[in-house]
Amino acid sequence: MTQPARTGPLAPVAPGAAGPATSASLTRPGGLANPDGAGGRFDAQGPSGAAPAVQLSGVTRHYGTVRAFAGLDLEIARGSTVALLDRNRAGKSTALNVLLGLLPPTAGEVALFGVPPRRAVREGRVGAMLQDGRPIPRVMVRELVRFVAASYPAPPPVARTLALAGLDALADRRVDRLSGGQAQRVRFALALALAGNPELVVLDEPTTALDVAARRAFWEAIRRYTGRDNTVLFSTHYLPEADENADRIVVIDGGRIVADGSGAEVKRSVGGHLVAFDLAGASGADLARLPGVTAVRVRGGRARLRSVDSDATVLALAERGAVRGLEVTPASLDDAFLALTAAPETARGATRGGAAGVGATRDGAAGRGAAEAVAR
């Protein structure tokens, strides 16, 4: 079992262990002009519930000359479940650490519930399960879960948490002697302390190594948690999981938000359907000019078109007599993610702060040209 970075009662530091960051260390002055962390102009807005769960405004983070992200603007409403997607090393983990007050932003402001991150953490309003950490030696599974439960004023029974995580048979085994999948189930058990009810939970790759049944149980628990007007922000590289469970999906690439909307909106933004057919010796040079087409890929005598209006695309193909081996399928979130994160900067028109304007290449000559480059 790895010891998660402490950012709330979901992720404890074992007694005597020198953890990378404890709730106490998050509130000590030093390193930041404001000892509570970034968030200077975001003051609490009246009674509880008035301020958004998360606000990032113009947030930038540099490591020397390396830019992790720049000008990040993001607002998350209470009671929502938001997925944060990126390629490996594209800024997601750094964004989570800045959001939680574990790292100061180079510029910009961060607030959780209208107050600086470290204040929200100190008040017990935020919990997190992060990937970073190290093994905790000589601690039994039951002991660790009991320790986490003791961090809450009204924790669920330890036996119930162990059962829900499928850890009954492993309760008396040392955490540092578990397999990778078993260790992840222990992390799942820590996340099940949701009955302690922090208002925001941040989960970094929460279902890695969980089997289908455990993953399903996890998301059922998350839905019960958000049903009480709580908020979840999670990252994952398992895109069907994001599509199924998130109210909203935010895609980061190159240190910027390149798409922000529901799963359906993100998929539509890069072409809602895939239209495939056999070229049968015909040229595919002008396929990008067909109505609705935003991207073209030709391989092995078969053309694959991404289209925002598949009906119009198919009708145009029929007029050409190009309907051999025709297939029309909805674009998946995987398709959308690959298109968004492969696109050059000129093809990205990301909007921030809501689903109304998903940042993606749409119809039009410039967009089609950029999308064709993506599809090749």
Side-chain angles (χ1 to χ4, degrees), residues 223-309:
R223 282 188 284 273
R224 289 194 296 270
Y225 171 73
T226 56
R228 300 194 295 270
D229 201 31
N230 294 313
T231 308
V232 171
L233 174 62
F234 72 95
S235 69
T236 182
H237 286 110
Y238 182 55
L239 302 192
E241 179 174 79
D243 199 10
E244 182 178 351
N245 296 292
D247 307 320
R248 177 179 166 198
I249 293 171
V250 178
V251 182
I252 294 179
D253 191 53
R256 298 183 182 276
I257 294 176
V258 297
D260 183 354
S262 69
E265 288 168 326
V266 172
K267 286 181 283 190
R268 283 199 303 269
S269 72
V270 294
H273 287 78
L274 299 177
V275 179
F277 63 97
D278 295 330
L279 287 171
S283 171
D286 62 345
L287 293 176
R289 301 182 184 278
L290 294 176
V293 172
T294 60
V296 177
R297 183 177 183 180
V298 177
R299 178 179 294 177
R302 190 164 177 81
R304 293 171 174 82
L305 314 179
R306 195 180 305 280
S307 175
V308 294
D309 188 345

Side-chain angles (χ1 to χ4, degrees), residues 85-106:
L85 309 181
D86 76 342
R87 295 180 293 171
N88 285 329
R89 300 184 180 277
K92 174 262 299 175
S93 294
T94 299
L96 292 181
N97 284 328
V98 169
L99 181 148
L100 290 165
L102 294 172
L103 288 174
T106 304

Side-chain angles (χ1 to χ4, degrees), residues 40-350:
R41 74 177 178 86
F42 292 128
D43 297 322
Q45 302 173 21
S48 176
V54 175
Q55 280 182 292
L56 284 76
S57 178
V59 175
T60 297
R61 173 68 191 187
H62 291 167
Y63 293 96
T65 59
V66 178
R67 184 192 72 183
F69 51 83
L72 205 61
D73 294 314
L74 180 66
E75 183 174 305
I76 297 176
R78 290 167 178 253
S80 57
T81 302
V82 178
L84 189 63
L85 309 181
D86 76 342
R87 295 180 293 171
N88 285 329
R89 300 184 180 277
K92 174 262 299 175
S93 294
T94 299
L96 292 181
N97 284 328
V98 169
L99 181 148
L100 290 165
L102 294 172
L103 288 174
T106 304
E109 295 175 320
V110 184
L112 304 179
F113 305 104
V115 302
R118 291 192 291 180
R119 175 177 164 187
V121 169
R122 184 177 64 232
E123 293 173 350
R125 304 175 75 179
V126 182
M129 190 177 79
L130 306 181
Q131 296 188 71
D132 298 332
R134 62 179 182 276
I136 303 175
R138 299 178 297 279
V139 176
M140 303 301 179
V141 171
R142 190 192 312 274
E143 293 173 337
L144 180 60
V145 174
R146 184 180 293 118
F147 178 72
V148 173
S151 301
Y152 291 103
V158 170
R160 183 194 305 168
T161 300
L162 292 170
L164 190 53
L167 292 171
D168 301 276
L170 302 172
D172 297 314
R173 186 175 298 183
R174 279 174 48 167
V175 172
D176 55 353
R177 293 182 178 174
L178 299 176
S179 69
Q182 292 168 343
Q184 190 64 6
R185 277 153 57 195
V186 173
R187 289 167 59 84
F188 173 41
L190 304 187
L192 290 180
L194 296 175
N197 207 28
E199 297 171 67
L200 167 67
V201 171
V202 179
L203 306 169
D204 195 3
E205 301 286 344
T207 61
T208 300
L210 292 182
D211 61 26
V212 173
R215 185 180 290 117
R216 182 175 298 172
F218 174 83
W219 287 111
E220 287 173 355
I222 290 294
R223 282 188 284 273
R224 289 194 296 270
Y225 171 73
T226 56
R228 300 194 295 270
D229 201 31
N230 294 313
T231 308
V232 171
L233 174 62
F234 72 95
S235 69
T236 182
H237 286 110
Y238 182 55
L239 302 192
E241 179 174 79
D243 199 10
E244 182 178 351
N245 296 292
D247 307 320
R248 177 179 166 198
I249 293 171
V250 178
V251 182
I252 294 179
D253 191 53
R256 298 183 182 276
I257 294 176
V258 297
D260 183 354
S262 69
E265 288 168 326
V266 172
K267 286 181 283 190
R268 283 199 303 269
S269 72
V270 294
H273 287 78
L274 299 177
V275 179
F277 63 97
D278 295 330
L279 287 171
S283 171
D286 62 345
L287 293 176
R289 301 182 184 278
L290 294 176
V293 172
T294 60
V296 177
R297 183 177 183 180
V298 177
R299 178 179 294 177
R302 190 164 177 81
R304 293 171 174 82
L305 314 179
R306 195 180 305 280
S307 175
V308 294
D309 188 345
S310 57
D311 290 342
T313 302
V314 169
L315 287 173
L317 289 172
E319 290 175 0
R320 296 182 173 201
V323 290
R324 296 183 182 180
L326 181 68
E327 288 182 285
V328 181
T329 57
S332 68
L333 187 59
D334 293 58
D335 297 323
F337 178 80
L338 290 173
L340 288 164
T341 57
E345 289 295 331
T346 54
R348 295 173 183 157

